[in-house]
Amino acid sequence: TDSDANGGDDLGPSWSLPVTGRIQVDDGGTDPVDRFVAIFGGGLDPANDAVGNFIYMVDVETGKVLYKRETAAAVPSQPAAVDSDRNGYLDLVYVGDVDGHLYKINMSEIPTLVADTVTNDLVVSEDDWNPLEIFDAEGRSIFFSPTDSTRCSAIIGIEPICCSSMPRIIAC
């Protein structure tokens, strides 16, 4: 599909390995529901730069897309997913794109599932878990997963690594 109307498919050839983990969602019931998910970038098609500019989260039990958010450019890099409070649920996702933008997705709040307007499948509301650009490598592509540290509980900065397009997340 071409949900952003840019002339290219939303999902391109995926270069990244998916990361998997457990999240909680509000499906309208009385208690949050656990979902096991795979998170991956939209890929990259060198022949068409309008392809792959999305971040995806798929329910591994159903194969349905639970989450899809647009980024500024194609996302060939593998996301880094973190359970920062070590409660068994993913809290943060970091992923980069080919224009050098590094995004953080804060998943610490339980999102509401709503019916998708096209498929009628339950998906994470557009109001929840929006990617926040936290670093700009000024056009240097990010092709690899950001490095994360789960030994500590706080991210204090991002350090560009010399001679590489992969920033490193610094934790305290």
Side-chain angles (χ1 to χ4, degrees), residues 31-82:
D31 294 317
V33 177
D34 286 3
R35 297 284 175 97
F36 290 91
V37 296
I39 305 166
F40 54 93
L44 175 67
D45 181 352
N48 184 352
D49 63 3
V51 172
N53 58 322
F54 283 87
I55 302 166
Y56 289 87
M57 185 181 303
V58 174
D59 185 319
V60 296
E61 292 181 34
T62 66
K64 295 184 185 252
V65 174
L66 278 177
Y67 173 91
K68 177 181 168 184
R69 293 296 186 274
E70 188 174 1
T71 60
V75 182
S77 68
Q78 178 177 338
V82 181

Side-chain angles (χ1 to χ4, degrees), residues 92-125:
L92 301 167
V93 172
Y94 297 90
V95 67
D97 70 22
V98 296
D99 281 353
H101 306 281
L102 179 67
Y103 298 94
K104 172 184 173 181
I105 303 165
N106 182 347
M107 303 186 326
S108 59
E109 299 294 324
I110 296 173
T112 302
L113 295 184
V114 297
D116 183 82
T117 57
V118 176
T119 65
N120 209 35
D121 293 333
L122 290 178
V123 297
V124 172
S125 166

